[in-house]
Amino acid sequence: MNTYTEALGLVLQADVIIAILCSAVYGMIVGALPGLTATMATALLVPVTFYLSPIAAIAAIITSSAMAIFAGDIPGALLRIPGTPASAAYTDEAYAYTRKGQPEMALGIGLWFSALGGIIGTFALMIVAPQLAEFALSFSTFEYFWLAFLGLMCATLVARSSPVKAIASMLLGLLVACVGIENPAGTPRFTFGSTDLLGGIEALPVLVGVFAVSEVMRAMVTAEPPRLASRRFGSILKGQLELTRKFVKLQVRGNLIGIAIGALPGAGADIAAWVSYSVSKRFSKTPEKFGTGHPEGLVESGASNNAALAAGWVPALLFGIPGDTITAIAIGVLYMKGLNPGPTLFTERASSMYALYYIFILANLLMIPLGILMIRMCSKILSAPRSAIMSMIILMCAVGAFATGNNLFAVVLVAVFGVIGFVMERNGYPVAAMVLGIVMGTMVEQNFVTSLIKSDGSIWPFFSRPVASLLAAMTIAAVLWPVFAWLLRLRRRLQTHAG
Amino acid sequence: MQLSDRITGLFVAVLGAAAAYGGSKLPPVPGQQVGPNVFPMVVGTGLLFCGALIALGVGRRFEEEAEAELVAHSDPNALAAETPPSGWIYSLRVLIPPALLLFYVYAVDFLGFLITGVTIVAAAALALGARWWFALSFGLFTTALIHLAFAKMLRVPLPFGLLQFPW
């Protein structure tokens, strides 16, 4: 019990509370602006977290990402432009409500069930993580290698693109992670004589490049999204309690799917929303009503994406393996602040862990009043001209990248990865898979090479330990899944031809 | 920049082959079978294999399905806005943001943060269709704001250069 009060003391510091409030407003605004994702909000926040205390830094990341995921629903519902990819799955449904003249219903569902989902996801994190931590203490490099590899494969499976291109993106990320002297022998690798490359390519400039700069580049060649007419909203939370009572089963199912997908290394909130929406449609008694302004899909996917956000911290905290791109950034911040991820985090720094839970719950509670305020003010915020937002972002990218190490080379990297991200996106190569490859590259290599040295070059021990063999089987299944799906389709096509 | 799968696949394959070759040239750790060379070779071989598959068009159908689903879920007008006006000179505009970042890298130490910042914000705003008076005043405002936040509050050493802020 002592740890709980100690943790509460950590959270109730003035700097932590200010960080939560400021990052909440920041996350809401960035998430609500179309095209600016929750990942981008988090990436641009990292340079600021350098200068905060550890708990305040983590609080800023957690709060801004949770707010941004919800706020992405606002332009989705009002303009049919999803603010973040996590809202894309149900944008149509939410917009159908607006067409019926009930935007407050769609936004209310998004807000209420997001907050509930976030809180339930946090409880899952509180229950599951310590249990798994005990189990994870017995992991050796073989298990860590498979776990990291499984995370990378999951990231390619959920990419909503060609699996081959997703795997290629992931390998590209691993290749980028090879650059530098941080390798088993400490020899300069792929540095081409540049001293700037000796330290390797950091994940942060890459993230800022592929998520922020490439978005500004896209804005250069696309038309400005339509302005939002200012409108008055009715009561936003009216009828939500009734919906909660009516759709309790859907909400729980959404939470569970979100938690499961979030806890899976490599898969995050966006995919949780897509899966939940389609599950909801498949098991609904009235699937024909979907897409016409029907609450079921909204309830389930809204409950799912915020639950996934919290559960994504499970693999991040336990193994240092990101659940999605947001936790990939968070892991970097954890290391920087001396809260190195790993099972021992739960025994040695227990109070910090509990503080993290409190912050999650606080952020989700704060989401309701702040979300209502944001919805009421959104016509003002969304009418900010794109030329102002994008030009501000480009300067923030430069200063933010520079601030990470007071090094101008980071700004060059931001520009280079902006171009790479833009070209990859245009040609169907998922950038998130590359980012996860870069973040996890060193870890994968370290565990791979250490395991190989331990086994004297033999690959048999990779499969002989019980947990390692289970993880290996899951990974291989993930690799072979696209092949299996293709064979299944081929068979069906042949059957229809024969028929 | 939309390229055919054949070109991007080929590029990926060549990159993979180069990585595998470059990796194999790295010196091993004395007395060990594995060293810094193993991982680039594994990754490079994987890239070579994936690149070949992409060039041959394997997996294209998955992409088409995902695209079709996305189209079904979003506004046709919004998607129409995604397709840029034709003309390669127009499409060169995408290079403005990275070019501005490189301008920052090479100019900031000499010109200082004030001039460089205002130039970047104003140029980007003008490129996105703002009026020049808005671009300039907004540039000044944003640069001052960012300078206050990063240089004053977070103590990031942003260079002074030719012209500096009064604070």
Side-chain angles (χ1 to χ4, degrees), chain A residues 213-489:
Chain A
V213 176
S214 66
E215 195 54 49
V216 182
M217 289 171 72
R218 207 163 300 131
M220 288 284 166
V221 285
T222 51
E224 184 146 0
R227 289 288 171 85
L228 183 65
S230 102
R231 68 193 313 156
R232 294 190 82 79
F233 291 103
S235 170
I236 289 171
L237 290 181
K238 198 176 131 200
Q240 296 307 330
L241 273 179
E242 196 191 324
L243 277 180
T244 319
R245 228 171 293 139
K246 196 170 161 197
F247 293 124
V248 91
K249 203 180 111 198
L250 293 186
Q251 195 224 335
V252 172
R253 193 167 62 197
N255 290 151
L256 291 179
I257 290 176
I259 290 165
I261 291 179
L264 203 69
D270 349 354
I271 190 67
W274 282 101
V275 171
S276 282
Y277 188 81
S278 54
V279 164
S280 179
K281 191 169 178 180
R282 177 159 301 171
F283 290 102
S284 170
K285 289 198 186 79
T286 53
E288 71 282 355
K289 283 190 185 164
F290 276 67
T292 60
H294 187 57
E296 287 181 38
L298 284 180
V299 168
E300 190 154 347
S301 37
S304 168
N305 62 6
N306 272 54
L309 196 66
W313 284 70
V314 173
L317 291 171
L318 277 178
F319 311 112
I321 293 175
D324 53 20
T325 44
I326 294 172
T327 39
I329 305 170
I331 287 172
V333 176
L334 285 170
Y335 270 113
M336 202 168 57
K337 295 294 178 188
L339 292 166
N340 293 11
T344 51
L345 198 61
F346 291 84
T347 48
E348 285 166 11
R349 306 290 296 265
S351 57
S352 300
M353 283 301 98
Y354 290 128
L356 199 139
Y357 303 151
Y358 286 136
I359 293 164
F360 255 114
I361 292 173
L362 207 62
N364 281 296
L365 290 178
L366 191 63
M367 185 189 286
I368 294 177
L370 210 64
I372 293 175
L373 204 69
M374 183 68 201
I375 292 170
R376 298 221 178 276
M377 286 171 36
C378 66
S379 54
K380 295 227 167 42
I381 289 167
L382 287 181
S383 68
R386 195 174 60 164
S387 58
I389 296 159
M390 293 297 175
S391 56
M392 193 166 178
I393 284 174
I394 199 84
L395 188 60
M396 273 172 69
C397 290
V399 179
F402 173 74
T404 55
N406 293 343
N407 180 0
L408 280 172
F409 182 67
V411 187
V412 178
L413 282 181
V414 169
V416 169
F417 276 93
V419 177
I420 293 177
F422 181 80
V423 173
M424 282 175 69
E425 192 83 63
R426 274 281 148 118
N427 292 294
Y429 290 81
V431 289
M434 179 183 75
V435 168
L436 288 180
I438 294 175
V439 172
M440 291 164 71
T442 312
M443 178 182 183
V444 175
E445 174 171 22
Q446 219 164 30
N447 287 307
F448 180 57
V449 172
T450 315
S451 302
L452 270 182
I453 290 173
K454 279 201 288 198
S455 69
D456 241 347
S458 148
I459 58 163
W460 171 240
F462 279 90
F463 301 95
S464 61
R465 293 169 58 99
V467 178
S469 63
L470 178 71
L471 289 169
M474 283 168 77
T475 314
I476 291 167
V479 176
L480 291 182
W481 171 251
V483 181
F484 179 70
W486 176 72
L487 283 176
L488 210 66
R489 203 164 346 173

Side-chain angles (χ1 to χ4, degrees), chain A residues 112-122 251 255 302-304 306-308 310 364:
Chain A
W112 178 249
F113 288 96
S114 288
L116 274 187
I119 290 172
I120 291 171
T122 311
Q251 195 224 335
N255 290 151
S304 168
N306 272 54
N364 281 296

